[in-house]
Amino acid sequence: MSIFKLKINFEEADHESIELPIAAGESVLDVCLDNGIDLQHNCGGVCGCSTCHVYVTKGMDNIEEISDKEEDFIDRAVRPKITSRLGCQCVVINGDIEVTIPDQSGFMGH
């Protein structure tokens, strides 16, 4: 199994960037949850909401293509950008990636 590097940056000023291993076939959401990083996921990580929204800042070619369903949910995300993806759908296929997690403090509950 191939292991790559996932760099996570945070919009929240009091959060330091972190680098974690990510295996081919693993999602950004999975790695966040396995490492105690609080990335919202109201639908349980099944591409049914937009709360695990992230910005891919490097390595867009190293993750699975975006689906029509995912694009529909990104349109509902807070402050979507051209580099927006859902963490649950951000599955690494080959290579390192870097993402920025938007400010999560506006979400109430889990």
Side-chain angles (χ1 to χ4, degrees), residues 22-94:
I22 187 167
E26 245 186 331
S27 75
V28 169
L29 177 62
D30 290 337
V31 173
C32 286
L33 297 180
D34 289 348
N35 288 279
I37 296 168
D38 193 22
L39 180 56
Q40 298 294 320
H41 54 289
N42 291 352
C43 76
V46 296
C47 196
C49 69
S50 63
T51 56
C52 68
H53 170 234
V54 298
Y55 304 118
V56 178
T57 48
K58 288 187 184 147
M60 190 69 91
D61 292 340
N62 297 333
I63 56 177
E64 290 182 358
E65 291 280 316
I66 192 167
S67 67
D68 291 341
K69 181 179 179 185
E70 182 183 357
E71 279 191 55
D72 289 344
F73 282 109
I74 286 172
D75 287 343
R76 302 176 205 171
V78 178
R79 297 185 324 280
K81 299 179 182 174
I82 195 77
T83 59
S84 290
R85 292 293 303 264
L86 298 180
C88 67
Q89 300 300 298
C90 235
V91 176
V92 168
I93 46 176
N94 190 22

Side-chain angles (χ1 to χ4, degrees), residues 4-8 18-22 27-29 31-32 92 96-99:
F4 304 104
K5 195 167 50 179
L6 166 62
K7 182 173 184 185
I8 302 172
I18 186 169
E19 281 190 8
L20 297 165
I22 187 167
S27 75
V28 169
L29 177 62
V31 173
C32 286
V92 168
D96 299 339
I97 65 167
E98 183 174 330
V99 301

